[in-house]
């Protein structure tokens, strides 16, 4: 196949490209420039898509003997990922920018250009497995549960899966990938993995959002509506948060309180006890299927609501409004804007963005 290898400058994408070359494919490497602030460098495991990363990707491509290009996707990344991130927080939701990047950039914009240029597939260093099933290509979990990235790939459609290539999916551990990189002479063999949000490399999400959205003082209330504190912008809070609340009125039972809800229209943050984070139902309208669609509008599944959360047995129901999921046991601290990925065993069925949640704990009278 003619394969376009997306090379981030990290060890995973470098080894994935190397395996594609070794398998006999015609491979071209490409690094995506996603920021106009090209002078920035990585600090340990923080940040990505920097000048340093582009140089690391080029060195890997040179070692593999493949052509290498840098493509400027910064404008598309700003519009589809960064602006979306800010808009979601303004709306009181908790977005996942990695999901949007996979959906809009790596497997939409990049894949579209790759196909236009005559490539058969885009290769990345994601840890997930592709299986050619009776009804087409299927997306499954990786062999290494600790590194599995099928959750953040849950936004891929059947058409996109038909043009993807994940050489690392069956690798038992990341240690094997690093050892292989060292054996191949790749200088990124021990490079730290990237963490946090790539466009907020210092990790200060609240400060970054305050600069983008602004400061607006509002109330922090308990579940009965009683004011227990104040804040300088509801966008700086997310469901499940405990630290940084600065509450002026202690709870009657003396226990810590957690963010239960963010109401952007009234600029109000609702807090309550830990047990009130239990969620009995989630629903959303923006959904897609990773391969074949469910045969029935009412089906059992497992649902994962975060990249590193445990999947929960549940029942999903399709309606005209979207997807509603009821777990066998309550989810823990779900926020609108998060992505729910549905599984059938190891296979990804599809995903939807959570719009509404129903608490498992009644509001006190």
């Amino acid at each position: 196949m003619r394969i376009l290898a997306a090379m981030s400058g990290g060890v995973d994408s470098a080894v994935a490209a190397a395996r594609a070359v070794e398998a006999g494919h015609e491979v071209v490497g490409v690094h995506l420039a996603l920021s106009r602030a090209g002078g920035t460098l990585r600090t340990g495991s923080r940040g990505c898509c920097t000048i340093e990363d582009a140089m690391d990707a080029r060195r890997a491509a040179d070692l593999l003997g493949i052509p290498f290009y840098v493509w400027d996707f910064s404008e598309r990344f700003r519009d589809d990922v960064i602006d979306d991130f800010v808009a979601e927080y303004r709306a009181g939701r908790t977005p996942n920018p990695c999901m949007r990047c996979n959906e809009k950039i790596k497997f939409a914009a990049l894949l579209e250009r790759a196909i236009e240029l005559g490539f058969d597939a885009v290769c990345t260093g994601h840890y997930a497995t592709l299986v050619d099933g009776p009804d087409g290509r299927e997306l499954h979990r990786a062999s290494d549960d600790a590194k599995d990235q099928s959750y953040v790939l849950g936004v891929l459609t059947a058409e996109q899966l038909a043009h993807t290539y994940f050489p690392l999916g069956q690798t038992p551990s990341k240690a094997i990938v690093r050892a292989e990189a060292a054996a191949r002479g790749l200088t990124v063999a021990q490079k730290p993995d990237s963490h946090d949000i790539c466009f907020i490399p210092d990790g200060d999400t609240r400060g970054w959002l305050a600069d983008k959205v602004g400061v607006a003082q509002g109330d922090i209330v308990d579940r009965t509506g009683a004011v227990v504190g104040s804040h300088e912008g509801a966008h700086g809070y997310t469901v499940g948060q405990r630290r940084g609340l600065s509450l002026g009125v202690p709870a009657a039972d003396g226990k810590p309180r957690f963010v239960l809800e963010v109401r952007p229209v009234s600029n109000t943050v609702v807090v309550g006890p830990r047990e009130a984070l239990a969620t009995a139902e989630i629903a959303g309208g923006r959904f897609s299927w990773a391969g074949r669609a469910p045969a029935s509008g009412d089906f059992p599944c497992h649902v994962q609501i975060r990249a590193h959360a445990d999947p929960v047995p549940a029942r999903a129901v399709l309606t005209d409004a979207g997807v509603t999921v009821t777990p066998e046991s309550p989810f823990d601290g779900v926020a609108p804007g998060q992505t729910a990925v549905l599984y059938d065993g190891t296979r990804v069925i599809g995903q939807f963005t959570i719009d509404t949640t129903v608490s498992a704990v009644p509001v006190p009278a």
Side-chain angles (χ1 to χ4, degrees):
M1 294 190 297
R2 293 193 70 220
I3 289 181
L4 186 68
M7 304 182 70
S8 66
V11 62
D12 293 327
S13 61
V15 171
R19 290 185 181 183
V21 171
E22 191 172 63
H25 301 298
E26 179 187 345
V27 182
V28 173
V30 62
H31 179 79
L32 304 184
L34 301 181
S35 172
R36 293 294 174 90
T40 57
L41 297 176
R42 285 167 57 95
T43 303
S45 62
R46 291 190 181 277
C48 69
C49 313
T50 64
I51 289 291
E52 179 184 345
D53 293 312
M55 292 168 60
D56 286 340
R58 180 177 292 279
R59 279 190 287 267
D62 288 345
L63 181 67
L64 298 175
I66 61 174
F68 178 80
Y69 301 92
V70 176
W71 288 355
D72 183 1
F73 276 34
S74 58
E75 186 172 341
R76 181 85 180 252
F77 185 77
R78 181 199 63 207
D79 293 344
D80 290 341
V81 179
I82 298 178
D83 289 353
D84 175 79
F85 182 82
V86 174
E88 286 288 273
Y89 264 100
R90 277 200 177 107
R93 295 155 63 91
T94 303
N96 185 324
C98 293
M99 303 288 286
R100 296 287 81 79
C101 185
N102 284 334
E103 178 186 19
K104 301 292 188 179
I105 305 299
K106 294 175 183 174
F107 297 97
L110 178 62
L111 183 56
E112 288 166 8
R113 184 178 294 185
I115 292 174
E116 288 174 357
L117 293 173
F119 289 93
D120 299 300
V122 165
C123 166
T124 72
H126 286 100
Y127 287 79
T129 305
L130 295 171
V131 175
D132 289 322
D135 299 311
R137 184 70 62 86
E138 297 175 351
L139 175 64
H140 287 253
R141 291 190 183 276
S143 296
D144 181 5
D145 287 339
K147 291 298 295 180
D148 173 57
Q149 292 176 295
S150 61
Y151 173 84
V152 295
L153 296 168
V155 291
L156 270 63
T157 64
E159 183 177 356
Q160 291 169 333
L161 289 173
H163 296 283
T164 57
Y165 185 46
F166 300 138
L168 305 187
Q170 293 295 320
T171 307
S173 73
K174 178 65 173 273
I176 292 175
V177 172
R178 290 196 181 279
E180 180 179 333
R184 292 180 181 275
L186 294 166
T187 59
V188 293
Q190 297 305 319
K191 186 174 181 178
D193 293 337
S194 295
H195 297 296
D196 300 317
I197 300 170
C198 68
F199 52 87
I200 311 178
D202 64 1
D204 182 13
T205 303
R206 179 182 288 193
W208 188 89
L209 283 168
D211 182 61
K212 301 292 182 183
V213 178
V215 174
Q217 190 166 355
D219 292 331
I220 300 177
V221 302
D222 64 17
R223 300 184 84 197
T224 68
V227 176
V228 295
S230 64
H231 62 79
E232 294 187 344
H235 59 267
Y237 298 82
T238 189
V239 171
Q241 179 177 332
R242 174 187 171 184
R243 298 184 182 279
L245 300 184
S246 301
L247 302 179
V249 180
D253 58 7
K255 293 182 178 180
R257 284 177 290 196
F258 298 76
V259 174
L260 304 180
E261 186 181 352
V262 177
R263 299 172 179 169
V265 174
S266 61
N267 194 30
T268 302
V269 176
V270 182
V271 298
R274 176 74 177 80
E275 57 268 23
L277 287 170
T279 303
E281 182 181 285
I282 57 176
R286 189 171 67 180
F287 62 89
S288 64
W289 307 122
R292 70 179 185 275
S296 168
D298 184 339
F299 56 92
C301 60
H302 279 72
V303 180
Q304 190 170 327
I305 57 171
R306 296 183 187 87
H308 302 294
D310 292 329
V312 176
R315 189 153 206 94
V317 177
L318 306 182
T319 68
D320 292 340
V323 184
T324 299
V325 168
T326 305
E328 288 185 6
S329 56
F331 295 116
D332 183 31
V334 184
Q338 287 180 231
T339 300
V341 176
L342 283 55
Y343 289 84
D344 177 8
T346 63
R347 184 177 75 86
V348 175
I349 301 172
Q351 62 81 38
F352 67 91
T353 301
I354 299 168
D355 294 325
T356 59
T357 65
V358 176
S359 176
V361 179
V363 177

